[in-house]
Every structure is written in structure tokens, then in C-alpha cells.
Amino acid sequence: AQKVTQAQTEISVVEKEDVTLDCVYETRDTTYYLFWYKQPPSGELVFLIRRNSFDEQNEISGRYSWNFQKSTSSFNFTITASQVVDSAVYFCALGGRASGTYKYIFGTGTRLKVLA
Amino acid sequence: EAGVTQSPTHLIKTRGQQATLRCSPISGHTSVYWYQQALGLGLQFLLWYDEGEERNRGNFPPRFSGRQFPNYSSELNVNALELEDSALYLCASSFREYEQYFGPGTRLTVT
């Protein structure tokens, strides 16, 4: 079965602190994709990153970085020098064909509050 | 390039009524996905349409239905509304199955 776990329900940090959002997944697929989305208060999900299962290279985009480790089935997301505008709910998602039909499974989200 | 659009932004209905939500995908995208996000909860997959056909369905009762039109836009219908149907309904579109782009959502309130 496919599953995505975001154990951190809510995190509060002070501006300029670094913060890591955890994501652990389960799948029997050998080929799959992992995603992170940001959901600001407006409600729209904003695509942040996609990784495929064959590419374990870490990625950095500005203040954002992602650490993909197949050995621990984790795809963690770090925000460096957090800002108030980073306050949002962040979702990790898994896409794959475990049951024959392509499916997306989302985690329950982590609410990040960055305090000024 | 225009993103995914959804209408209406907000919808208020009473219990037992029907609701119709609409989604227009990004130009060139043939797949449309519908998700329900109840307050404080994650996204629950509802329906996936591709090339006019329903490809997959989440664990929702039959009163949740929809369709995809020849121009790839989509409609989600919820019949016999119940209070617990109150949620943000998000639509996403994709060209390739491993990328989804989301619209701003329709907030449905059932009273």
C-alpha cells in the first residue's frame, strides 16, 4: 500500500531560524515520484518540487533544500533562514502505480508558523 | 500561460441540495483530478478524468460524480449534500501523470 506520513502537525519557529519538515513514505513501486506543495492561507496548492525515485541527489533552490533518502524512505524539506512569508501548510505527496492505476497520495500536511 | 481555474470561489448550499463545481485545466493538459480537503485535514483524492474518461475514483460515495468535457474542462457534482461535505474542493490538471498543478479551489459550505 502507498502511504505518506508527515508526523509534524505544526511547527513554530522564529524568523531566520532554519526548519526541517519531515516526510516518510511507503510504496512497493520501483518507479515513483515525490512532491512537496505549499498551501498558503489563500488555499491554492503551490508546486515546489518533484523528484523521481531514481534520482537521489539533494536539491537546493534558494532558501529551500530537499534531502531524498531511499534507504530510509524519506524526503525531507528544509527552509533556511525562514521568513514570515513561509508560513503555510506544506504537503508531501507520493505518485505511483502501486495498484495498477496511477495514484497520488498526500500526507496530512505540516503547518509552519514563522513568527516575526 | 493561464493556470488552472475553478468556479465558483465560494458556494453555499443547504443539506439535501446539489452542488456543481467547475474546473478548467491548463491549456494542453488532458487530465483533471479532484480532491476534497475538509477543515484541518489533508487532501483526499476524489476523481481522476483523462481524455474524457473516469480513470480512478477515491473512497467516496456515488453521490460524488463528475465528468470531463471534450475541451478537457471538468465538472464535479455532489448530490444530496450533507453537512460533512463542507470542504475546500481542489482541482488539479496534468499533461503527464507525474505532475499536477492545482487551482485555487472552491469552498463549499453546507448549512
Side-chain angles (χ1 to χ4, degrees), chain A residues 4-8 89-92 106-110, chain B residues 40-44:
Chain A
V4 175
T5 301
Q6 295 180 257
Q8 304 151 309
V89 180
Y90 291 85
F91 289 95
C92 179
F106 282 79
T108 51
T110 296
Chain B
L41 299 179
L43 278 75
Q44 302 297 315

Side-chain angles (χ1 to χ4, degrees), chain A:
Chain A
Q2 292 178 301
K3 186 178 178 182
V4 175
T5 301
Q6 295 180 257
Q8 304 151 309
T9 305
E10 185 169 311
I11 301 175
S12 291
V13 298
V14 176
E15 206 170 18
K16 297 183 184 177
E17 285 186 358
D18 298 346
V19 58
T20 296
L21 309 182
D22 297 333
C23 174
V24 175
Y25 63 92
E26 294 177 28
T27 182
R28 292 185 207 158
D29 283 340
T30 54
T31 301
Y32 53 89
Y33 295 89
L34 295 164
F35 307 83
W36 276 96
Y37 289 88
K38 174 182 179 180
Q39 187 177 41
S42 61
E44 182 171 354
L45 264 74
V46 177
F47 170 83
L48 295 178
I49 190 172
R50 169 179 60 87
R51 304 297 283 177
N52 73 52
S53 51
F54 297 109
D55 185 0
E56 284 192 75
Q57 280 191 342
N58 292 330
E59 182 157 337
I60 298 175
S61 176
R63 296 185 297 107
Y64 295 170
S65 62
W66 290 270
N67 183 358
F68 177 26
Q69 291 194 336
K70 285 179 77 171
S71 60
T72 56
S73 297
S74 65
F75 186 42
N76 297 336
F77 172 31
T78 298
I79 301 175
T80 303
S82 59
Q83 299 176 1
V84 172
V85 293
D86 295 328
S87 297
V89 180
Y90 291 85
F91 289 95
C92 179
L94 166 69
R97 284 186 178 275
S99 58
T101 306
Y102 200 85
K103 287 177 72 172
Y104 283 86
I105 303 295
F106 282 79
T108 51
T110 296
R111 181 177 299 278
L112 175 64
K113 292 184 177 179
V114 182
L115 308 173

